[in-house]
Amino acid sequence: MKYPTLLALLALTAAVPAVAQDSGIVRNPIPGSDFPIAQSVEVPAGATILYVSGQVPPVIDESAERGSRAAYGDTETQTVGVLERVEAALVNGGFTMDDVVKMQVFLVGDPEMDGEMDFEGFMRGYTQFFSAERGNLPARSAMEIAGLVVPGWLVEIEVMAAR
């Protein structure tokens, strides 16, 4: 490893402000990026942590064939529905969406998009709940998978919250 490169990286990282919450949780933004996730999140010892199991989309069209994509909507609609379920689970545990520190997102290719994953649709739904302006950016992974338990599901999200 070359020292000038390491020193430049350290200087850049030091110049990027971390966002701390009253709980002592620190969200470190991605240097030089406005992408709405944290590069990392620091959770102090003694924090209360809640793990929320993977949440899946609710049915939005009862008249559609059970288990079909039409019953659950497109990726954006499913993302909003899933995040509303995540929010309900958090509230049930005494937390809020602002307490989410880690998120794993599983996306399935949309049959109406030639089987391509609709990452843009996911992001439209995601940014309704998480943004730099709110200061609640979690560390996040998003991955495309072959399928979920129900064929019409395009999105599943699990989170970890801390306060």
Side-chain angles (χ1 to χ4, degrees), residues 32-162:
S33 174
D34 63 355
F35 195 69
I37 66 171
Q39 182 179 48
S40 63
V41 178
E42 300 171 44
V43 178
T48 301
I49 298 175
L50 179 72
Y51 296 90
V52 177
S53 292
Q55 300 296 301
V56 295
V59 172
I60 61 160
D61 183 354
E62 294 287 344
S63 67
E65 180 182 335
R66 189 143 183 90
S68 69
R69 179 203 181 276
Y72 302 98
D74 62 12
T75 299
E76 179 180 357
T77 301
Q78 289 192 28
T79 299
V80 170
V82 168
L83 288 172
E84 287 171 347
R85 285 185 161 182
V86 166
E87 186 170 39
L90 289 166
V91 168
N92 189 49
F95 288 75
T96 71
M97 291 295 255
D98 291 342
D99 296 320
V100 173
V101 295
K102 174 70 173 123
M103 177 182 292
Q104 287 187 285
V105 179
F106 306 94
L107 299 170
V108 176
D110 188 338
E112 293 189 13
M113 294 180 62
D114 295 324
E116 294 294 318
M117 171 181 69
D118 183 9
F119 190 73
E120 291 79 19
F122 162 73
M123 288 300 295
R124 284 191 301 274
Y126 170 84
T127 54
Q128 292 178 40
F129 296 85
F130 297 94
S131 67
E133 293 77 27
R134 285 183 63 171
N136 67 343
L137 299 179
R140 188 190 81 198
S141 299
M143 58 217 82
E144 183 174 14
I145 60 171
L148 292 164
V149 174
V150 173
W153 291 346
L154 302 174
V155 180
E156 182 172 345
I157 299 173
E158 59 185 45
V159 302
M160 183 179 85

